Amino acid sequence: MPKDSLSITDNRTGKQYELPIQDGAVRAVDLRQIKTGEDDPGLLAYDPGFINTASCKSAVSYIDGARGILRYRGYPIEQLAEQSTFLETAYLLLHGELPSAAELDAWVLEITHHTFIHENIKKFIDGFHHDAHPMGVLVSTVAALSTFYPEAKHIQDERARHIQIIRLIAKVPTLAGFAHRHSVGLPYAYPDNDLSYAGNFLNMMFKTTEVKFVPNQTLQRALDVLFILHADHEQNCSTSAMRTTGSSHADPYSCMASAAAALYGPLHGGANEEVLKMLREIGSKDRIPAYIERVKRGELRLMGFGHRIYKNYDPRATIIKRVAAEVFDVTGKNPLIDIAVELERIALQDDYFVSRKLFPNVDFYSGIIYEAMQIPVDMFPVLFAIGRTPGWLAQWQEMLLDKEQRISRPRQIYVGAGVRDYVPIEQRG
Ligand code: ACO
């Protein structure tokens, strides 16, 4: 009769243990009983990079990396990208269910009416150097929001949590737009609450002398879809940062600044920026084979390729390829797309990539679309952050309401020196 348990024999002591298996996992803390003696603190699981460690139970998003599946709250990403809007998807992530028409209207209205930021925030954006990276500006200004809303620290108060969630979803595009305008020396463009979420973001990016900015419908929808595709991705690096910081009961602005900082790195949200640099460096299709050889020699990585979880085509990359075609109908074709498509074709025939199950990820094509929409490269991770905001907040809230969660505090295996006596400086060799 099969049992949901794991039998372990500790060959150091000959003792046997039986650990329960629940949801396909053993509890790491159950390993602690496995000891060689009284002084032994117990067996640890060693897992740098958390390759095989579940840090939480979550009902927000589901990924099957082997089959290339992504679902938010059970809904396939393909259906959401086709039929939903970003704000509806945000509601879904945060509430667990799709809204009714009345709930959606109220949600959109609430977010739309929190898009303005305090004028003082403009003052410190002004203080950044003219070429400050907008992601650095975003990380800092999101953190600064906590000083404007001191009640945000009441994280156990459902109403206080709700209003901070609304504010963050509403204000992050404004901070992003202002960061961009500062970097190009243009006056800030204020939110236009007549426009959709994505349309308003385009307004804050590109409005110049016109009385009213009218976003292109196709580009507005493409951006909305890109936000949907980035909205959540279970326990990735930045979401883990959000949860880890949140586990100390910091306010959501501080938590989100830490998540955005984690996103900034080139191995995570900075990858789409790196993809464009790479495609420009390659420059033409005939130079792809030589570039691939350099990757295979370990001199560099093919940016936008590979994923910790997907060992198949990233489903978001498939959708993005389709969106790219729609955008190019409006903007004209970005010539980098030809290099990208050829690079993908060659890589996917090469045993190096095939054997390591390295496929294009979401970042491989997103930057090419953003560039065609005239969005500068350094804004790419900022756009990722706008899209990921509801996911971070849904995961943060889930963590707070999860009775099993405690302050995040991993263990270590100490490999340093044993005890030794302090040597006064004059006696050191
Ligand atoms: N180019 C070339 N080789 C790669 C790449 C790549 N992009 N990614 C992984 N590999 C190779 C590694 O060298 C390694 O080979 P080896 O076994 O011979 O040593 C093997 O594939 C496994 O790679 P790991 O680094 O162990 O994989 P890991 O899961 O730790 O890393 C990551 C995942 C960080 C995404 C990695 O694939 C990468 O650096 N990709 C490029 C950056 C990128 O596109 N990041 C965006 C990720 S998606 C997102 O954040 C939205």
Side-chain angles (χ1 to χ4, degrees):
M1 178 74 179
K3 278 170 82 183
D4 282 336
S5 65
L6 177 72
S7 297
I8 297 177
T9 305
D10 185 347
N11 294 322
R12 299 170 302 175
T13 59
K15 284 194 190 155
Q16 295 202 320
Y17 303 85
E18 188 168 334
L19 309 189
I21 298 177
Q22 203 189 2
D23 301 320
V26 292
R27 285 186 174 262
V29 78
D30 284 348
L31 297 174
R32 265 209 210 153
Q33 61 186 297
I34 305 177
K35 300 178 175 200
T36 50
E38 279 305 301
D39 295 341
D40 184 347
L43 198 64
L44 282 177
Y46 176 58
D47 189 7
F50 304 114
I51 308 280
N52 195 38
T53 297
S55 60
C56 62
K57 292 179 180 166
S58 179
V60 182
S61 58
Y62 169 79
I63 303 175
D64 180 335
R67 292 193 292 158
I69 290 173
L70 171 61
R71 297 181 198 133
Y72 297 161
R73 301 280 187 186
Y75 294 99
I77 190 67
E78 294 80 3
Q79 291 181 24
L80 293 168
E82 189 68 40
Q83 297 174 63
S84 186
T85 61
F86 176 63
L87 287 187
E88 184 186 57
T89 299
Y91 184 101
L92 170 70
L93 288 169
L94 279 146
H95 296 84
E97 298 296 334
L98 287 168
S100 67
E103 286 165 339
L104 181 60
D105 285 350
W107 174 249
V108 172
L109 189 81
E110 219 181 353
I111 291 174
T112 308
H113 286 87
H114 282 89
T115 48
F116 275 66
I117 52 176
H118 196 288
E119 285 289 293
N120 283 354
I121 293 177
K122 266 182 17 190
K123 289 190 198 150
F124 59 76
I125 294 183
D126 284 341
F128 283 99
H129 205 260
H130 70 93
D131 59 357
H133 195 293
M135 195 63 180
V137 177
L138 184 79
V139 169
S140 321
T141 48
V142 167
L145 283 182
S146 81
T147 66
F148 290 80
Y149 305 110
E151 77 278 13
K153 61 169 150 318
H154 301 310
I155 53 162
Q156 306 298 353
D157 176 345
E158 190 180 345
R159 180 68 211 158
R161 274 203 312 271
H162 173 78
I163 188 67
Q164 314 320 326
I165 286 171
I166 295 286
R167 283 181 177 140
L168 273 161
I169 296 173
K171 293 182 199 307
V172 161
T174 313
L175 297 175
F178 281 26
H180 164 68
R181 305 287 286 208
H182 175 74
S183 70
V184 290
L186 281 171
Y188 304 119
Y190 281 77
D192 180 342
N193 290 351
D194 293 339
L195 300 176
S196 73
Y197 190 84
N200 174 46
F201 178 65
L202 291 172
N203 159 66
M204 292 187 291
M205 287 288 292
F206 299 122
K207 185 173 191 291
T208 50
T209 55
E210 63 274 49
V211 176
K212 187 143 186 95
F213 179 86
V214 182
N216 176 284
Q217 289 296 322
T218 306
L219 300 188
Q220 173 174 242
R221 176 62 191 156
L223 195 56
D224 207 58
V225 172
L226 282 157
F227 288 155
I228 293 173
L229 298 183
H230 286 89
D232 195 54
H233 214 231
E234 51 124 294
Q235 307 312 314
N236 56 84
C237 177
S238 56
T239 301
S240 300
M242 182 90 191
R243 279 179 173 262
T244 299
T245 310
S247 77
S248 76
H249 291 181
D251 69 82
Y253 301 101
S254 305
C255 296
M256 225 185 88
S258 112
L263 184 70
Y264 195 179
L267 296 188
H268 190 12
N272 50 12
E273 186 172 346
E274 298 301 317
V275 171
L276 273 220
K277 285 186 200 152
M278 173 186 80
L279 294 174
R280 286 213 191 88
E281 188 189 333
I282 295 173
S284 60
K285 285 201 254 181
D286 56 307
R287 294 178 53 174
I288 293 173
Y291 196 86
I292 295 234
E293 284 312 311
R294 288 180 63 199
V295 171
K296 286 161 64 177
R297 283 199 299 272
E299 288 174 29
L300 30 85
R301 286 201 162 195
L302 202 53
M303 298 313 285
F305 255 71
H307 199 276
R308 172 61 60 79
I309 305 293
Y310 291 119
K311 301 302 167 196
N312 200 325
Y313 214 95
D314 181 338
R316 300 168 301 173
T318 316
I319 300 166
I320 284 189
K321 251 175 135 173
R322 193 203 70 221
V323 173
E326 291 164 12
V327 167
F328 296 158
D329 282 346
V330 176
T331 61
K333 193 159 122 185
N334 184 338
L336 294 181
I337 187 82
D338 291 334
I339 301 176
V341 169
E342 182 66 1
L343 186 58
E344 177 190 328
R345 191 188 67 76
I346 294 179
L348 294 187
Q349 287 177 355
D350 191 305
D351 187 56
Y352 176 92
F353 298 92
V354 175
S355 63
R356 289 170 177 77
K357 297 191 168 67
L358 299 170
F359 292 88
N361 59 48
V362 67
D363 286 322
F364 193 64
Y365 288 105
S366 62
I368 302 173
I369 303 181
Y370 293 148
E371 191 179 66
M373 293 169 82
Q374 313 281 316
I375 293 170
V377 169
D378 56 8
M379 283 295 286
F380 294 178
V382 177
L383 268 79
F384 193 152
I386 297 174
R388 185 56 55 88
T389 297
W392 284 331
L393 292 166
Q395 300 269 354
W396 167 74
Q397 180 153 263
E398 183 179 63
M399 183 268 310
L400 286 177
L401 298 177
D402 181 349
K403 298 229 172 345
E404 279 200 302
Q405 289 296 329
R406 299 162 71 181
I407 188 164
S408 268
R409 206 309 187 178
R411 301 293 298 268
Q412 66 164 13
I413 296 172
Y414 179 68
V415 293
V419 65
R420 44 188 175 163
D421 288 327
Y422 180 80
V423 182
I425 196 159
E426 62 279 6
Q427 291 173 25
R428 291 175 215 159

